[in-house]
Amino acid sequence: MTVRPITIVGHRALSQRTRKVREITDEIRELVADMVETSAAANGAGLAAPQVGSRWRLFVYSCTDGQGQMRRGVVINPVLERFGGLVLDEETLEGCLSVPGEGFPTARYRGARVRGIDLEGQEIVVEDEGGVLARALQHEVDHLEGMLYLDRLSPARRREALDAVTARGWRARSLRSWDPREVEAPDV
């Protein structure tokens, strides 16, 4: 397993839609193992393939559900269903490893369910309501569609977020990725 560099907002991989996984190969298994390692090194709740520069339609997660239980896994070729009403809590900041060190209130549905397959090719359903997992499922599927959470912000919050990204100087420094083994997200 290898910790891979995490792409930063502005990287082309983050704005492209992903490709469906047709066969679970050793390459896919290695990608998933690396993503689990990378997400853990960065203290992430989840990580989608585009965040490590891959175009495959899959993500890993490691976060608590609505009952406070830690849940971990991988979903390949996820199909998302949202339920429970859209909620915007100004006190809850959503962050992203591809926008390291920043967080903004983001409207998300209270519940989410994804259907897909696991590394064995078996059909799985991952569901949560009211927990970090529900938010993470929506967030990671957005990545697979070429979207960042910044795209879901209100116009005023989006301007604030873009100003924060500019102030970090990633574009000015031509920084397109960061290594969680070398630096913590707030310090990128």
Side-chain angles (χ1 to χ4, degrees), residues 106-181:
T106 307
R108 292 286 185 187
Y109 283 83
R110 181 163 169 68
R113 176 182 308 113
V114 292
R115 298 175 191 279
I117 59 173
D118 64 15
L119 276 175
E120 307 308 316
Q122 300 300 310
E123 290 186 18
I124 58 169
V125 177
V126 181
E127 180 176 332
D128 185 39
E129 186 169 3
V132 175
L133 179 58
R135 181 174 293 273
L137 296 175
Q138 295 170 74
H139 181 108
E140 302 311 330
V141 171
D142 275 355
H143 275 301
L144 303 179
E145 298 297 328
M147 290 181 64
L148 292 174
Y149 84 101
L150 304 178
D151 300 320
R152 295 203 176 270
L153 299 176
S154 68
R157 290 285 190 195
R158 183 167 167 73
R159 180 74 261 151
E160 183 183 343
L162 294 176
D163 288 347
V165 166
T166 300
R168 290 225 176 228
W170 299 321
R171 179 174 283 161
R173 293 183 283 151
S174 298
L175 193 61
R176 295 287 180 246
S177 65
W178 66 284
D179 188 333
R181 292 171 301 185

Side-chain angles (χ1 to χ4, degrees), residues 23 26 28 32 41 48 53 59 89-90 105 120 131 134 147 150-151:
E23 179 183 358
D26 288 342
I28 295 296
V32 169
F59 68 86
D89 176 2
E90 292 291 330
E120 307 308 316
M147 290 181 64
L150 304 178
D151 300 320

Side-chain angles (χ1 to χ4, degrees), residues 46-94:
L47 188 68
Q51 293 181 275
V52 292
S54 173
R55 299 249 344 258
W56 293 116
R57 188 169 182 81
L58 62 88
F59 68 86
V60 299
Y61 61 91
S62 177
C63 53
T64 55
D65 63 17
Q67 285 72 50
Q69 297 297 310
M70 180 58 74
R71 307 260 303 270
R72 293 180 175 87
V74 58
V75 182
I76 300 170
N77 300 330
V79 175
L80 175 68
E81 299 172 56
R82 299 172 185 95
F83 58 88
L86 200 56
V87 177
L88 176 61
D89 176 2
E90 292 291 330
E91 301 299 314
T92 301
L93 302 182
E94 185 164 330

